[in-house]
Amino acid sequence: MRNMDINTRTLWQQRFEHYMKESMGYWQYAARSNFIGLVLFLVIVSSYYYAKILQRLPTDYPYLWIVLLLLVPLLSSSPIRTLVRKADRMFLLRIEHQMGAYFRSGFMYSLTLQAFGTFIAWVILWPLYHHCLGASEQHFLLMLALLLLLKIANLLASWQESRFTHERTRLASVSFRWVATTALVSLQFLTSILWASGAALLLISVWLAAVHFVSKYVIGWDYLITKENQQQARLYAFFSWFVDVPQMGTRIARRSWISGLTRFIPFRQDAAYLYLYMKTLLRTELFAIVLRITLLGVLAIAVSSSGTARSLIFLIALVISLVQLSSLERAHRYTFWLEMYPLNPNSKAGSLAFIIWSVLMLELCILTIPLMIRSSPIYLLVPLISLIFISFSCGIVLRRKFEKNVLLET
C-alpha cells in the first residue's frame, strides 16, 4: 500500500514537472512580447486612477456590489488542476482507491493559486472598504482568513461534485455554492465576521446533509478529464496570443446569426481569401475574444469617471483587438488544400488587412458611443486619432508583414 502511495505521488511530480516546463517555455514567449510590461503599465495606471477615484468617492457609496462582483466569482469558481489524461481512465482505474496522494497534490496546487488570487483581490478591495467604513472596519487579517476558509470550502465541495454520478445534481450543488457564497460575503461585509462564520457553518451542514444521499463514484474520471482538457485549452488559448501552440485545436462555432455576412462577398477568384478568412474569423474563438474585449471596453468606458481614463481604455481596447486579430493570418498555415486551387497568393495579404481593418472600424464605432455620451466634444479627437492609427497599422504595417510572410511561404 505504501509503495503504491509513493508511486502515485511520484506520478503527480512527473506530470507537474512536465506541465511547468511546458508552461514556462510559453511564458518566455509572453515575456518577449512585452506582455509583462503591458500588465505592469496597466497596474500602475489603474492604481493611480483608483486612488484618484477614492479621493472623490463619498464614504456612503454602496461598495458592496463591487465586492460581490470581484469576490464571489473568485471564491465560487473553484476548478481543481488534476493533470489527468484520457488513458488514466483505463490504466489507473484499478488503483483509484490508492490515488489519494495524487489528488491531494493537485488540490494543494489549486488551493495555492486560488488562495493567492483571493489575497490579491482582497488587497485591491481593502482601500475601498477602508474608505467607506472608516473606523467601523473589521480587521484586515480576520476578513482575509474568512475569505480563505470560504475558498477552501468551495474547493472541497468542487472535488466532491466531480464524484457525483448525475449532472443535474452537480448543477444543483454548484448553484447552491454560488448563492451561499454571495450570501456569506454579504453578511461578512454588512454585519460581522462572527455572524458570517455562524451562517457558513449552518450552510455547510445543510450541504453535507444533502450530499450524504447523493450517489458518487470513487473518482469521477470522465468529469475530471473533461475539466482538465478545458482548463488546459484555455491556457493554450492564452499562450496562442504570443506563439503558435501545436496542441491547441481549432473550435468551430456555427454562429448562423452573423456568419451569413459572407454571402455579401462576391463569388470570384480574387475574393476567395476574403471569404475564407472572414468565415474563419466569424466561426472561431477569435471572434468571441474580440467581442468580449469590445463589451468590456464599452462597460469600462461607461463606468469611468475620468475623460483621460476613458480615452486610455478606448485606445487599449483597440490595440489589444489589433494584436488578437493579427493572429488570423496563422489560421490556415497548415491547410494544404489551398495549394490545390489556382488562387492568387498576392490577394491574401490585402484580404487579411481589409478584414482586420473592417472589424477594428466597427469596434471603434461601438466604443465611440459611450465615449462621446460621457465626454465633451473635444474627445472626438480620440476616435479620429484611432482611425488614423488603425488605417496605418492595417494598410501599411500589417499588409507589408503579411506580404513578406506570403513570399516566405512560396
Side-chain angles (χ1 to χ4, degrees):
M1 182 73 70
R2 181 176 179 78
N3 290 336
M4 188 62 70
D5 200 37
I6 293 174
N7 289 339
T8 56
R9 187 179 292 110
T10 302
L11 178 63
W12 166 264
Q13 292 173 352
Q14 292 172 347
R15 290 186 176 180
F16 184 73
E17 288 173 3
H18 177 269
Y19 163 74
M20 291 301 297
K21 182 178 179 181
E22 181 185 51
S23 298
M24 291 306 297
Y26 286 124
W27 275 113
Q28 290 177 7
Y29 286 104
R32 292 173 191 169
S33 66
N34 295 321
F35 169 75
I36 296 177
L38 175 62
V39 171
L40 289 175
F41 170 76
L42 293 176
V43 169
I44 293 171
V45 172
S46 301
S47 301
Y48 172 77
Y49 283 105
Y50 186 24
K52 298 286 284 186
I53 290 171
L54 287 179
Q55 291 175 2
R56 297 194 297 267
L57 195 71
T59 54
D60 59 347
Y61 182 79
Y63 69 95
L64 183 63
W65 69 271
I66 300 176
V67 171
L68 294 177
L69 280 176
L70 186 58
L71 286 181
V72 171
L74 276 173
L75 296 174
S76 302
S77 180
S78 302
I80 300 175
R81 291 306 304 264
T82 57
L83 306 183
V84 292
R85 302 171 182 174
K86 289 183 179 180
D88 293 348
R89 183 169 42 192
M90 177 182 296
F91 294 103
L92 298 181
L93 183 63
R94 63 186 180 85
I95 60 167
E96 63 180 7
H97 290 279
Q98 288 96 34
M99 291 290 292
Y102 180 94
F103 289 113
R104 277 194 298 272
S105 299
F107 181 89
M108 292 306 299
Y109 170 68
S110 303
L111 175 60
T112 301
L113 286 183
Q114 295 176 38
F116 180 73
T118 303
F119 170 74
I120 294 298
W122 177 228
V123 169
I124 294 171
L125 288 171
W126 174 257
L128 175 64
Y129 175 73
H130 175 74
H131 175 81
C132 295
L133 270 292
S136 59
E137 69 186 21
Q138 302 180 79
H139 197 277
F140 176 89
L141 292 179
L142 292 177
M143 295 284 282
L144 176 62
L146 182 55
L147 291 174
L148 292 178
L149 288 174
L150 291 177
K151 167 50 65 177
I152 294 172
N154 273 283
L155 269 171
L156 289 170
S158 178
W159 169 252
Q160 292 301 321
E161 289 162 1
S162 71
R163 300 174 57 209
F164 291 172
T165 56
H166 299 292
E167 182 65 23
R168 189 172 298 177
T169 308
R170 185 179 296 116
L171 290 174
S173 177
V174 171
S175 301
F176 178 84
R177 285 197 296 109
W178 277 77
V179 173
T181 302
T182 304
L184 292 173
V185 173
S186 301
L187 275 174
Q188 179 179 356
F189 282 86
L190 292 178
T191 58
S192 67
I193 296 174
L194 186 61
W195 277 104
S197 301
L201 291 175
L202 177 63
L203 290 172
I204 291 172
S205 301
V206 171
W207 185 86
L208 289 173
V211 168
H212 179 73
F213 300 99
V214 174
S215 59
K216 308 181 192 69
Y217 297 113
V218 176
I219 295 174
W221 290 107
D222 292 336
Y223 179 81
L224 291 177
I225 291 170
T226 300
K227 287 298 180 181
E228 179 63 27
N229 290 339
Q230 290 175 356
Q231 293 182 74
Q232 192 63 29
R234 283 195 288 268
L235 194 61
Y236 285 147
F238 170 74
F239 289 136
S240 68
W241 295 3
F242 316 103
V243 66
D244 291 344
V245 181
Q247 298 92 333
M248 189 179 70
T250 303
R251 291 186 295 175
I252 305 299
R254 182 176 175 82
R255 296 197 182 105
S256 57
W257 59 276
I258 195 171
S259 60
L261 287 175
T262 53
R263 297 172 186 169
F264 298 100
I265 299 176
F267 189 72
R268 299 198 308 264
Q269 185 183 33
D270 58 352
Y273 281 109
L274 182 63
Y275 179 89
L276 174 66
Y277 283 100
M278 181 64 78
K279 186 71 79 173
T280 301
L281 171 64
L282 296 176
R283 288 189 169 184
T284 56
E285 182 65 18
L286 185 58
F287 174 79
I289 291 173
V290 175
L291 183 61
R292 286 194 292 268
I293 293 171
T294 305
L295 294 177
L296 286 173
V298 168
L299 180 62
I301 291 172
V303 302
S304 179
S305 60
S306 167
T308 304
R310 287 192 288 269
S311 301
L312 282 173
I313 294 168
F314 188 99
L315 295 171
I316 289 171
L318 288 174
V319 170
I320 294 175
S321 297
L322 175 62
V323 173
Q324 290 294 314
L325 288 167
S326 63
S327 65
L328 182 63
E329 180 202 16
R330 301 194 298 269
H332 297 284
R333 60 195 181 280
Y334 301 127
T335 305
F336 70 91
W337 292 104
L338 297 177
E339 307 298 328
M340 301 180 66
Y341 293 93
L343 300 178
N344 182 9
N346 295 327
S347 64
K348 178 180 178 180
S351 299
L352 281 165
F354 176 75
I355 291 171
I356 295 173
W357 180 84
S358 301
V359 174
L360 290 174
M361 282 299 300
L362 179 60
E363 183 179 8
L364 184 146
C365 294
I366 294 172
L367 292 174
T368 301
I369 296 173
L371 177 69
M372 297 313 300
I373 288 175
R374 299 210 57 201
S375 305
S376 60
I378 190 65
Y379 282 95
L380 189 60
L381 287 172
V382 176
L384 293 177
I385 294 171
S386 301
L387 173 60
I388 297 172
F389 169 74
I390 290 170
S391 300
F392 175 78
S393 300
C394 297
I396 298 178
V397 179
L398 286 182
R399 188 184 180 104
R400 288 181 179 176
K401 176 187 174 183
F402 296 154
E403 289 173 348
K404 181 180 178 181
N405 291 341
V406 168
L407 290 176
L408 292 174
E409 291 173 359
T410 56

